[in-house]
Amino acid sequence: MHVFPETGIDRLGFSVILEKISDYLKTDQGRVALSNLTLSASIEEVRRKLSITYEVQTAQEFDDPVPHSDVADIFPYLDRLGPEGVFLDGEELLEIRALVITISALQKYYSSRSAKYPDTFSLFEEIFLDTSVPDELGRCLEPDGSVSASASPELRRVRKEKESAERSLQRVLAREFSKAGAAGHAAEGQPTIRAGRHVIPVRVEAKRKVNGFVHDVSSSGLTVFVEPAACLDLNNEIRTLEAKERTEIIKVLTRLTHLVRTNKTALSRASNAIGEYDLHHAMAVVSRSISGVVPVIREEPGFKIVGGRNPALALFFVRSSEDRSVVPMDLEMFDDNRTIIVSGPNAGGKTVALKTLGLCVLMLAVGMPVPADASSEFSIPTKLFVDIGDDQSLEEDLSSYSSHLSRMKKALDTADANSLVLVDEIGAATDPDQGSAIALAMLQQLTDKGCMTFVTTHFGRLKAAAESHQYFCNASMEFDTDELAPTYRFEQGLPGSSYAMEIAGRVGLNSDVVESARMILGDQEYTVEELIVKLERSQRESDQLRIRLDAELRAATATRKELDSKLAKHKEDAASIRYKAVAESQKLLRESRARIENTIREIREAEAEKKATRAARSELEAFAERVEKTRQDQSSGAPAVRTGEHESISVGDRVVIDDGSTSGEVLEVKKGRVTVAAGTGKVTVKQERVRKVGGKQEQQVHIRTTSSTTGAIRPAARIRIDVRGNRVEEALSSVVPFVDDAVAAGLDEISILHGTGTGALRNAIREYLQTRRDVTSVGDADWESGGPGVTVIRLD
């Protein structure tokens, strides 16, 4: 993307964004990448860069910490690796090691997340470094860059001999110093080193009385530093060992440098990748601070900004302690309204709106998300023309208007359908009639070229033209006529008044002057301004009414959903109650029939008379008829939903057939016929004869154990309950009787389905279970049965 003039980037405020990015760079490579930053017009390149920045931003917000740290620029070191035999010092090698460790950590991080962050992973995917490089450098070098004794066997041997010689020298030196002191020859001080030799301080007048070699004299001239003759051989030995040590250190550094040299290409690629990643990392930090998103990047020219905010202004409010926010703007700028003419009062936000569009385009061109809704759409122009501010120059004999025309000439000569032209106060700084005429002519020509053009103005001629021109569109900055203050809200489709008279009155300008100005302006022109004001007020009232109606509609919709939910719950409860009533009546009927048969059997066994038998049977049959009538009354008390009216029949549903005398569970639904398990058998009927009275029931286990003395029957118990979605108190109120019933039924194992979630519900349930003596163990189910989302309970 080319920007005309080059200063247009700064005039839009992009330097503010770049400075903020610079604050978050961690590496020299990143700073180089920022200085070399280019504005791309390639849609694919822009999409790729945006994807990387947003992936890094997502990782910063929602993933584990990214292992990105400060590393040095290693290119100066790599440039010195040309000739064989050249070696780097220890500190330089350690900086290379730090880069290798960082790039390896980033490779590992994004490799394990390549499905989530594919474009970021591509930065490191083609870097292949010898993994022995950091290990070998770390083994051979100390943290301060010195060569470790473990770097080579020869170096270890030399240093060991040197240490031994130094200990011997210290003993001899201390002895000689003590002798000189006892003889009164020693000066104040301690043995030291001069010219690389170990010496003792001696009074100048006694220098010939100490057997040795003078190496230095103190600044006062009163003390000489003598190497005792007894120390000569040891000093010479140490100097020899030091030379061997230096030779061996050079060998080690040369070997390590060669190891680096063999990885020079990969290291260069790694250093570049670190710089590019560091730049995206800094962009992501800045983007997070202003809630940046990646909009839709359009192939065709055009812009749709939804909830867009000026990035530079947003950063300012983030840094400041003021409790303020940027007023968002909505803008649609496509081929049929490619020229937007914004009008309104001074200091009302026209220039900010213009800069918002320009800044967002520049940010996207470098791969940085913008502060707007994700549904926003942006094309990437190949040329951006910016005319903001005053470039008047005495040296170049340019007035404000001349400099304005020179910039517009560049746009008129070179702009095309892939260009964006931004002009603040077009045609200003000259006679209004002539300036507005030239401005209109320039806008018509730019529009004919197919340019996207966004201008601000106070000219009524341009406002009027926008209402009649096919490709022009008026826009304005909202103004509160009651408070006589701007709201900074961008409104597309309406021209704006400059409110010059109103503002003049508010600032205290003499009322006679204001009235005189209105008279000079003339009734016709002033009436136009009044019409614009009334139109703005009417539009604002309509917008407020729409907002209020939208809120009421949302509230009504929410209420409707709540009532529908309650109705569905009521129907479900009614069906459940109806089913329970039918089941209870069937149970009562079965028990009654058993009672009849038992009575008859007892009578027969007692060999009673036939007359007594008939009487007993009649009485019991009458009882059975009363029970049946009660069951039918319960079944008809709440009408069941007939299949096809509201819901379909599914396998597992509880149903009744015809008048409800037969009920059971659906085993099969096929070709309009339903098979129902009724009692100990099953029956197949047409689907229209079936009415649903309940959904699929939870599995229950009925365990009956007969006491040898009483014949009592243990109660039925469930082996599993579902408490997902319940609060802790609600869940425990279900868990307590559930466990009690299981214990009473003699079950060995039961389970509770609570889900994973935050783990709060699971922990509360398990804390309760651990307080029960009849619970022997509590744990997770296997993965096939639900894993940690299900608690399995073993009972005593």
Side-chain angles (χ1 to χ4, degrees):
M1 178 194 299
H2 298 285
V3 181
F4 305 97
E6 292 183 1
T7 56
I9 291 178
D10 293 331
R11 292 182 183 278
L12 288 171
F14 195 50
S15 57
V16 174
I17 308 298
L18 296 179
E19 288 172 6
K20 198 61 181 176
I21 292 172
S22 178
D23 291 342
Y24 292 102
L25 292 172
K26 292 187 175 183
T27 68
D28 292 335
Q29 295 94 318
R31 282 177 273 278
V32 171
L34 179 62
S35 66
N36 295 330
L37 193 63
T38 57
L39 300 169
S40 176
S42 165
I43 291 178
E44 291 305 316
E45 181 67 12
V46 167
R47 286 173 175 166
R48 174 185 169 274
K49 288 182 177 180
L50 280 171
S51 177
I52 293 174
T53 305
Y54 199 67
E55 285 176 359
V56 175
Q57 181 177 334
T58 302
Q60 291 173 355
E61 289 187 277
F62 306 112
D63 216 322
D64 297 330
V66 181
H68 178 46
S69 57
D70 184 7
V71 295
D73 182 7
I74 66 169
F75 278 112
Y77 310 150
L78 299 181
D79 291 341
R80 290 164 42 202
L81 294 180
E84 289 286 342
V86 173
F87 62 89
L88 302 176
D89 64 35
E91 292 182 356
E92 293 168 338
L93 290 169
L94 284 181
E95 289 181 348
I96 292 175
R97 178 176 184 266
L99 182 137
V100 174
I101 290 174
T102 298
I103 203 73
S104 298
L106 287 170
Q107 276 184 317
K108 182 178 180 181
Y109 183 92
Y110 284 105
S111 173
S112 64
R113 296 165 174 82
S114 58
K116 286 196 293 184
Y117 313 127
D119 288 309
T120 308
F121 174 60
S122 68
L123 292 176
F124 312 105
E125 189 174 12
E126 299 299 322
I127 299 174
F128 304 102
L129 286 167
D130 186 348
T131 56
S132 67
V133 171
D135 294 339
E136 185 65 10
L137 293 177
R139 184 183 71 83
C140 296
L141 299 173
E142 299 292 347
D144 62 355
S146 60
V147 177
S148 171
S150 60
S152 74
E154 178 63 16
L155 182 59
R156 181 184 293 108
R157 184 190 66 78
V158 169
R159 284 187 175 172
K160 188 174 182 180
E161 291 183 4
K162 177 185 168 186
E163 290 170 0
S164 176
E166 286 176 340
R167 287 194 297 270
S168 298
L169 177 60
Q170 290 299 326
R171 288 194 298 269
V172 174
L173 199 64
R175 186 188 66 205
E176 293 298 315
F177 184 59
S178 178
K179 287 170 57 179
H185 304 322
E188 293 183 0
Q190 294 294 325
T192 184
I193 297 176
R194 287 289 188 274
R197 313 288 288 189
H198 289 262
V199 296
I200 61 175
V202 176
R203 291 186 297 111
V204 65
E205 62 272 17
K207 65 180 180 180
R208 299 187 183 280
K209 297 179 180 179
V210 175
N211 187 19
F213 310 92
V214 177
H215 286 282
D216 201 359
V217 180
S218 68
S219 58
S220 65
L222 300 177
T223 302
V224 294
F225 297 95
V226 177
E227 177 186 2
C231 299
L232 180 62
D233 291 340
L234 287 172
N235 263 326
N236 289 340
E237 181 182 356
I238 290 172
R239 293 297 293 271
T240 301
L241 291 172
E242 286 175 345
K244 290 183 178 180
E245 181 184 27
R246 283 194 298 273
T247 300
E248 192 59 32
I249 287 174
I250 290 174
K251 288 182 180 179
V252 171
L253 293 176
T254 302
R255 175 171 58 82
L256 296 177
T257 301
H258 179 72
L259 179 62
V260 170
R261 184 182 291 108
T262 59
N263 286 269
K264 182 178 179 180
T265 301
L267 286 169
S268 297
R269 191 174 296 165
S271 189
N272 285 327
I274 282 286
E276 187 175 356
Y277 179 81
D278 190 28
L279 180 58
H280 285 289
H281 181 275
M283 286 182 178
V285 174
V286 177
S287 175
R288 282 180 62 193
S289 70
I290 57 176
S291 303
V293 301
V294 176
V296 177
I297 303 301
R298 292 172 52 86
E299 301 280 349
E300 298 299 322
F303 305 95
K304 176 186 176 183
I305 302 179
V306 181
R309 295 172 293 121
N310 184 278
L313 199 54
L315 280 175
F316 173 78
F317 286 144
V318 168
R319 293 196 303 267
S320 69
S321 58
E322 298 180 52
D323 185 17
R324 299 175 60 189
S325 59
V326 182
V327 178
M329 67 176 285
D330 294 339
L331 166 70
E332 288 195 5
M333 191 177 181
F334 299 113
D335 187 61
D336 57 349
N337 61 340
R338 65 181 77 124
T339 299
I340 303 292
I341 299 173
V342 186
S343 52
N346 286 322
K350 299 189 299 297
T351 305
V352 172
L354 180 146
K355 289 183 176 181
T356 298
L357 173 59
L359 262 181
C360 287
V361 168
L362 291 176
M363 289 172 64
L364 293 172
V366 299
M368 188 170 179
V370 295
D373 189 86
S375 62
S376 300
E377 301 177 19
F378 287 83
S379 61
I380 306 298
T382 56
K383 300 174 185 176
L384 175 61
F385 298 88
V386 181
D387 183 8
I388 301 176
D390 188 354
D391 277 346
Q392 63 176 318
S393 171
L394 293 177
E395 292 80 4
E396 298 180 15
D397 194 24
L398 282 176
S399 67
S400 297
Y401 188 61
S402 298
S403 64
H404 163 70
L405 288 180
S406 66
R407 290 194 292 267
M408 292 305 300
K409 180 180 183 300
K410 181 71 174 179
L412 292 168
D413 290 344
T414 59
D416 54 29
N418 288 320
S419 300
L420 173 62
V421 181
L422 304 175
V423 185
D424 191 28
E425 301 292 356
I426 187 170
T430 190
D431 176 77
D433 286 337
Q434 296 184 34
S436 62
I438 293 177
L440 180 57
M442 290 190 295
L443 288 178
Q444 288 173 337
Q445 185 169 341
L446 289 171
T447 303
D448 292 342
K449 285 174 170 283
C451 298
M452 293 288 163
T453 307
F454 189 104
V455 303
T456 70
T457 186
H458 288 282
F459 292 147
R461 175 175 282 163
L462 298 186
K463 301 177 193 178
E467 293 300 317
S468 58
H469 196 288
Q470 179 182 1
Y471 298 111
F472 286 13
C473 179
N474 265 315
S476 59
M477 303 307 299
E478 186 183 72
F479 191 81
D480 189 335
T481 55
D482 296 328
E483 297 293 330
L484 291 180
T487 64
Y488 306 108
R489 195 172 303 281
F490 182 85
E491 293 184 328
Q492 188 167 345
L494 290 175
S497 170
S498 296
Y499 293 96
M501 301 298 178
E502 290 78 4
I503 295 174
R506 184 182 183 186
V507 299
L509 198 64
N510 189 292
S511 59
D512 293 338
V513 174
V514 176
E515 287 301 321
S516 179
R518 284 174 176 160
M519 292 176 63
I520 294 172
L521 184 63
D523 292 339
Q524 184 175 359
E525 291 193 35
Y526 187 66
T527 301
V528 172
E529 285 294 307
E530 282 189 322
L531 288 174
I532 291 176
V533 171
K534 289 179 180 178
L535 186 59
E536 286 181 340
R537 184 182 294 113
S538 176
Q539 179 67 36
R540 187 162 60 252
E541 291 173 352
S542 297
D543 290 343
Q544 292 172 350
L545 177 60
R546 177 181 55 79
I547 292 171
R548 186 168 67 253
L549 291 177
D550 287 346
E552 291 176 357
L553 178 61
R554 286 194 298 270
T557 302
T559 302
R560 172 68 180 272
K561 287 183 179 179
E562 182 181 359
L563 291 176
D564 287 346
S565 177
K566 288 182 178 180
L567 179 60
K569 183 68 167 58
H570 175 73
K571 289 181 178 180
E572 183 180 345
D573 292 344
S576 177
I577 293 171
R578 187 166 54 248
Y579 170 73
K580 290 180 180 178
V582 172
E584 287 294 329
S585 63
Q586 287 181 328
K587 178 181 178 182
L588 181 60
L589 182 59
R590 288 195 299 272
E591 292 177 354
S592 300
R593 287 174 176 167
R595 178 179 174 185
I596 291 172
E597 297 301 327
N598 186 53
T599 302
I600 293 174
R601 185 172 58 256
E602 290 177 353
I603 292 174
R604 286 177 175 173
E605 289 175 356
E607 297 181 355
E609 298 179 357
K610 292 182 179 181
K611 182 178 180 180
T613 300
R614 285 195 299 272
R617 182 180 292 277
S618 297
E619 180 181 352
L620 290 174
E621 286 179 350
F623 172 73
E625 290 177 0
R626 291 196 300 274
V627 170
E628 176 66 14
K629 184 176 184 304
T630 300
R631 185 193 65 76
Q632 292 179 357
D633 291 342
Q634 291 173 331
S635 177
S636 61
V641 178
R642 184 171 297 278
T643 303
E645 292 179 349
H646 295 290
E647 53 185 323
S648 61
I649 293 293
S650 302
V651 173
D653 287 343
R654 305 298 301 182
V655 298
V656 295
I657 300 174
D658 295 333
D659 60 355
S661 59
T662 304
S663 67
E665 180 179 330
V666 175
L667 299 178
E668 182 181 38
V669 180
K670 186 176 182 181
K671 296 182 179 179
R673 302 182 68 81
V674 179
T675 302
V676 180
T680 59
K682 61 182 179 179
V683 60
T684 301
V685 297
K686 292 183 178 180
Q687 189 165 340
E688 56 265 24
R689 294 178 56 192
V690 176
R691 291 180 294 168
K692 181 177 178 179
V693 296
K696 186 175 181 180
Q697 299 295 299
E698 292 188 47
Q699 181 181 2
Q700 295 186 350
V701 175
H702 298 269
I703 302 178
R704 297 178 179 270
T705 55
T706 305
S707 170
S708 59
T709 57
T710 64
I713 300 175
R714 291 190 177 183
R718 294 172 293 173
I719 63 172
R720 184 184 180 103
I721 61 170
D722 184 351
V723 295
R724 290 177 297 178
N726 291 350
R727 295 184 177 180
V728 171
E729 296 78 5
E730 296 171 339
L732 290 178
S733 66
S734 300
V735 169
V736 173
F738 167 64
V739 178
D740 290 341
D741 292 346
V743 172
L747 298 183
D748 295 327
E749 183 177 288
I750 56 177
S751 61
I752 300 172
L753 174 59
H754 44 62
T756 52
T758 62
L761 184 59
R762 177 183 61 185
N763 295 338
I765 290 173
R766 293 189 177 185
E767 287 177 5
Y768 161 71
L769 293 172
Q770 290 171 357
T771 63
R772 296 187 62 122
R773 296 183 178 179
D774 44 16
V775 173
T776 58
S777 68
V778 176
D780 293 342
D782 53 38
W783 283 104
E784 292 79 6
S785 302
V790 175
T791 292
V792 176
I793 308 160
R794 297 286 300 175
L795 300 174
D796 189 0

